Amino acid sequence: MADFYVTTPIYYVNGAPHIGHAYTTIVADVFARHYRQRGDEVFFLTGTDEHGLKVQRAAEEQGISPQELVDTNSAKFRDLFAKLELTHDRFVRTTEADHKDAVVEMVRRMKAAGDIYLDTYAGWYSASDEAYYSEDEIEDGKAIESGSAVEWVEEKSYFFRLSKYEQPLIEWYNSQDIPVRPKARRNEIAAFVEGGLNDLSISRTTFNWGIEFPEDPEHVLYVWVDALTNYITGIGGFDEKGEPAKFWPADLHLIGKDILRFHAVYWPAFLMSAGVELPKQVFAHGWWTVDGQKMSKSRGNWVDAFELVEQYPLDLLRYFMIREIPLGSDGNFVQERIVERNNSELADNLGNLVNRTTKMMQGFLGGTVPKSVETDVEADVSLRECAAKTLTEVRDSMDKREPHHALESIMHLGNELNQYIQSTQPWKAKKEGDSERVEQILYHALEGIRWMAVLVQAFVPDAAAKILVAFGLDPVEGARLDALQWGGLPAGNTITTPDVLFEKIELDVPKPVEKEPKKKSKKKGDKKMNKDDAEGSGLIEFGDFLKVKMAVGRILSAERVDGADKLLKLSADVGEDAPRTIVAGLALAFEPEDLVNKQVAMVVNLKPAKLFGIKSEAMVLAVKDADGGLELAFFSDNIVPGTQIS
Ligand code: ME8
């Protein structure tokens, strides 16, 4: 049996959990559930990072002991994860005794490898990031990357010979499996390491909230050496033979892009030094903004994770977070988008399908599942093929860490099922007294829904369980992906209709002010105003805007189109499995080679159009300048292709 070990960062407990913490942990939960469904032995670890200057200062500000602060705030994370119904196997805390043992062992090994020496650190430190910064990473008293305040530190310190691992790290990044993902992040971190690594200060003497440096109580161990080791503590630390316990190496360290350096440089270097196998993958996901802005308490757009749980059903929250952005891209958390996805995808596509089909079952067949017959009717065959294809796509997408694609495939199966019922018209067969065909159609529809429920279980577990139970199946055993076979829904089972799976949501926005009734007027000006009213002022609803999906696309290749001097044929990565082909009227303004590797704005949900016999699958956005030339909106390489523009 394969095993799968997934981790989240352990979260700082200086404050309460917010949407970002919920996101990473939900994504990890989706992976954990998915691999469990495949029969893998899964270990899912999350927890809290409780030591360090930041936590000590937060406790001082509140006038309580650090221990009191971490106990209170760590409990909030545990409460939240229980409310989110997450399925972690352990919630690790860095103040636990077994964690200290694992950390002491890590440091002992790094020392034994000759990688630790005593010196003096003089440089910048950010307590908020718990990170050291070099002079060129600072501007106006702040770290350029994070914007956090830095302070000057000068004290005796133990150092780790990070510089020694420059070459081995580069080799690791270049290894075939690409252990740091997405690729753009791998490139970013490889460039950073190629720029040269300084040795790393790994102890402090000016505060004491942390693990004592082994054999030198004057020093406190740097909180990141402490925190990163949680990934070994969590699965049981080192065994008698000095090996990390079962499940090591981790299959997936899921993190936010803010802590890539710690996970893709420091952690593998510590592990190499300690003679421990490296994790298989570090995956840095993107950043949520709220209403288009960085979340902050002062801006008033801070999303407390508990409020989120109160506001939205869990299934919807999970669905939205996964479906809205490719893992690795940034996303914008906007209520309108959540509502749109709920109403049109979950409620209409899945909820109605289940409701309608189960009701038809009761009306036409008394709710009893008929025998499975694999007909060769075209609609039936193509539905079965679509289900089989979806299963493959879901597995592949999850292995490729593209959960949004997995959901896309599942929702496509939902569309196919809706169309299947529409085109096969079981009500017509019923009316014509063709009971054999009614049974065939309804069996196919039910079996398709069962497949959909099993496939979607990791994403929307409540709805999936309700469907399986309504089909007379066990919600756990019945959700095994490795046992998914067409015809698996037993004849004779009784089908009931589950409670509403997804309630439609009305947007919680202020109602437009009632318009005054139009008055008749003979004045010219008034007439014009009335005309504007009638035809609309040219303003659109936010919901209309949301219909246009714009994303950043990376142009992979560009060539002229024979016989069309204005057109270029482009191939662009828009964050999907395969690049899209685009025919764009850019040839008079750009040389094809000047566009290659550029990231530009595109509309990605236009119906494809054929131009000069080439199917164009997106539209590049451009502006015409006064002389009829063209300009494009370019994005830097920091943006992962596929990131939505909103
Ligand atoms: O960094 N969007 O803890 P932390 C998406 N203790 N994800 C977000 C987010 C946002 N706006 N904000 C936070 C630490 N996150 C260390 C980790 S690991 C050995 C030690 C998520 O409480 C994201 O996963 O600051 C990010 O990496 C993490 O929260 C940072 O949590």
Side-chain angles (χ1 to χ4, degrees):
M1 194 199 289
D3 62 35
F4 181 78
Y5 176 29
V6 56
T7 67
T8 71
I10 47 169
Y11 305 108
Y12 286 130
V13 285
N14 56 309
H18 59 68
I19 180 177
H21 302 126
Y23 175 61
T24 317
T25 326
I26 285 175
V27 175
D29 185 71
V30 168
F31 279 106
R33 287 181 191 252
H34 172 80
Y35 284 100
R36 283 192 202 108
Q37 282 188 281
R38 281 162 68 162
D40 289 0
E41 202 178 339
V42 170
F43 200 92
F44 166 19
L45 179 71
T46 189
T48 41
D49 186 355
E50 306 188 2
H51 289 135
L53 186 55
K54 168 160 150 158
V55 169
Q56 178 164 323
R57 284 192 182 155
E60 280 161 10
E61 273 164 29
Q62 294 179 33
I64 54 176
S65 72
Q67 190 64 52
E68 224 176 306
L69 179 82
V70 302
D71 286 347
T72 310
N73 283 352
S74 174
K76 287 187 189 152
F77 280 87
R78 262 167 297 145
D79 275 4
L80 174 72
F81 295 165
K83 285 210 161 77
L84 286 170
E85 295 176 14
L86 302 180
T87 59
H88 41 290
D89 295 284
R90 178 169 172 187
F91 184 102
V92 66
R93 299 183 56 186
T94 53
T95 47
E96 284 167 327
D98 66 338
H99 176 64
K100 186 173 164 203
D101 295 344
V103 171
V104 168
E105 176 60 11
M106 270 300 281
V107 177
R108 189 194 66 73
R109 286 164 176 240
M110 287 152 72
K111 220 169 170 182
D115 287 341
I116 292 179
Y117 62 91
L118 187 62
D119 203 338
T120 302
Y121 177 77
W124 298 105
Y125 192 78
S126 155
S128 167
D129 303 342
E130 296 284 15
Y132 298 93
Y133 288 106
S134 60
E135 202 66 54
D136 57 354
E137 292 174 311
I138 304 294
E139 203 174 75
D140 299 334
K142 287 186 175 150
I144 297 169
E145 202 178 310
S146 64
S148 307
V150 291
E151 57 200 279
W152 186 257
V153 169
E154 216 169 314
E155 62 194 8
K156 254 188 354 186
S157 171
Y158 284 97
F159 279 79
F160 170 69
R161 285 188 208 284
L162 186 61
S163 54
K164 176 175 153 189
Y165 292 95
E166 229 170 81
Q167 212 39 48
L169 282 169
I170 290 167
E171 278 162 31
W172 187 57
Y173 304 142
N174 290 337
S175 59
Q176 207 172 7
D177 293 338
I178 315 180
V180 178
R181 303 279 182 110
K183 275 192 206 153
R185 299 273 166 240
R186 191 271 309 255
N187 297 345
E188 178 188 309
I189 211 72
F192 170 75
V193 173
E194 276 159 9
L197 290 176
N198 295 324
D199 288 350
L200 179 72
S201 160
I202 55 161
S203 76
R204 301 286 309 264
T205 50
T206 43
F207 70 93
N208 60 11
W209 182 240
I211 294 180
E212 208 174 87
F213 200 88
E215 293 162 30
D216 193 344
E218 208 193 313
H219 293 248
V220 166
L221 187 65
Y222 176 38
V223 67
W224 274 97
V225 182
D226 166 347
L228 287 160
T229 306
N230 91 86
Y231 300 132
I232 291 178
T233 313
I235 45 166
F238 292 96
D239 65 16
E240 322 75 66
K241 284 189 257 132
E243 297 295 328
K246 185 177 149 89
F247 289 109
W248 192 258
D251 293 87
L252 176 58
H253 283 320
L254 192 64
I255 56 166
K257 62 182 182 182
D258 55 325
I259 50 176
L260 183 65
R261 190 184 296 183
F262 303 97
H263 283 80
V265 182
Y266 300 172
W267 181 227
F270 296 161
L271 290 169
M272 284 183 206
S273 169
V276 178
E277 216 179 320
L278 301 190
K280 292 194 191 140
Q281 195 175 89
V282 173
F283 195 109
H285 66 63
W287 215 239
W288 283 101
T289 50
V290 176
D291 296 329
Q293 293 202 303
K294 195 174 170 196
M295 189 173 40
S296 87
K297 286 200 167 132
S298 54
R299 271 200 196 100
N301 66 345
W302 183 264
V303 183
D304 177 279
F306 287 98
E307 279 171 25
L308 212 56
V309 177
E310 292 298 313
Q311 204 175 352
Y312 300 106
L314 292 183
D315 276 356
L316 172 56
L317 208 52
R318 295 168 71 96
Y319 181 84
F320 173 76
M321 285 179 158
I322 304 283
R323 183 71 189 86
E324 183 71 1
I325 50 169
L327 195 61
S329 302
D330 292 338
N332 187 10
F333 197 86
V334 210
Q335 197 189 25
E336 283 83 351
R337 275 198 190 281
I338 307 179
V339 171
E340 165 78 14
R341 293 222 180 260
N342 178 72
N343 292 356
S344 69
E345 296 176 25
L346 290 174
D348 281 350
N349 190 348
L350 180 55
N352 274 353
L353 172 72
V354 174
N355 190 42
R356 202 170 153 208
T357 314
T358 51
K359 291 221 164 102
M360 248 188 300
M361 263 301 290
Q362 287 139 24
F364 295 175
L365 299 176
T368 308
V369 177
K371 237 178 32 283
S372 165
V373 183
E374 296 210 2
T375 63
D376 50 15
V377 177
E378 201 187 320
D380 300 4
V381 175
S382 76
L383 180 67
R384 295 199 298 268
E385 282 172 1
C386 176
K389 188 164 157 258
T390 311
L391 172 60
T392 312
E393 283 174 358
V394 169
R395 294 175 63 113
D396 289 352
S397 300
M398 295 304 275
D399 290 343
K400 285 198 276 181
R401 315 298 179 228
E402 293 172 353
H404 71 294
H405 270 153
L407 270 185
E408 202 170 272
S409 303
I410 297 167
M411 285 296 141
H412 175 72
L413 175 60
N415 285 334
E416 292 293 307
L417 276 160
N418 278 303
Q419 271 173 28
Y420 173 81
I421 294 173
Q422 222 42 50
S423 68
T424 53
Q425 302 187 319
W427 47 90
K428 210 167 145 207
K430 174 76 183 166
K431 212 164 159 193
E432 288 163 0
D434 187 352
S435 55
E436 200 182 332
R437 187 62 192 142
V438 174
E439 290 185 0
Q440 289 167 358
I441 296 171
L442 287 183
Y443 189 89
H444 275 76
L446 286 175
E447 185 59 344
I449 293 173
R450 181 181 74 93
W451 274 55
M452 201 173 161
V454 174
L455 290 166
V456 87
Q457 196 257 6
F459 303 88
V460 291
D462 288 350
K466 279 188 196 155
I467 298 172
L468 294 173
V469 169
F471 281 25
L473 301 166
D474 181 273
V476 179
E477 269 313 295
R480 290 287 292 256
L481 267 177
D482 50 347
L484 201 52
Q485 293 262 343
W486 190 270
L489 178 64
N493 268 25
T494 302
I495 303 289
T496 54
T497 299
D499 294 343
V500 179
L501 295 176
F502 306 100
E503 298 272 4
K504 286 224 171 169
I505 305 178
E506 295 245 350
L507 249 188
D508 182 19
V509 288
K511 288 210 172 78
V513 182
E514 289 266 309
K515 273 189 198 146
E516 281 194 31
K518 284 181 200 166
K519 284 184 201 141
K520 282 195 176 167
S521 163
K522 284 179 190 122
K523 275 194 242 160
K524 236 183 168 182
D526 280 356
K527 200 167 173 193
K528 185 162 184 297
M529 270 182 70
N530 284 340
K531 190 169 169 248
D532 267 357
D533 265 352
E535 290 182 3
S537 55
L539 300 177
I540 58 168
E541 296 291 334
F542 189 59
D544 293 329
F545 166 71
L546 289 180
K547 286 184 194 149
V548 182
K549 207 166 147 190
M550 286 181 283
V552 175
R554 187 178 189 84
I555 299 176
L556 304 172
S557 67
E559 58 189 90
R560 294 187 186 279
V561 176
D562 274 349
D565 49 354
K566 284 191 184 154
L567 297 183
L568 289 182
K569 179 181 165 197
L570 312 173
S571 158
D573 177 359
V574 293
E576 299 170 343
D577 268 358
R580 294 217 196 171
T581 302
I582 302 161
V583 181
L586 302 174
L588 297 181
F590 297 94
E591 289 303 321
E593 56 276 16
D594 291 343
L595 291 176
V596 174
N597 281 332
K598 292 281 180 337
Q599 305 223 97
V600 298
M602 308 185 165
V603 177
V604 292
N605 66 342
L606 273 184
K607 284 204 178 120
K610 256 200 176 159
L611 291 162
F612 279 74
I614 308 165
K615 191 164 145 203
S616 181
E617 300 166 313
M619 186 177 90
V620 175
L621 295 179
V623 272
K624 272 207 177 103
D625 64 25
D627 308 324
L630 289 177
E631 285 197 23
L632 299 178
F634 291 113
F635 295 90
S636 77
D637 287 346
N638 285 337
I639 309 291
V640 179
T643 301
Q644 280 190 23
I645 303 172
S646 52

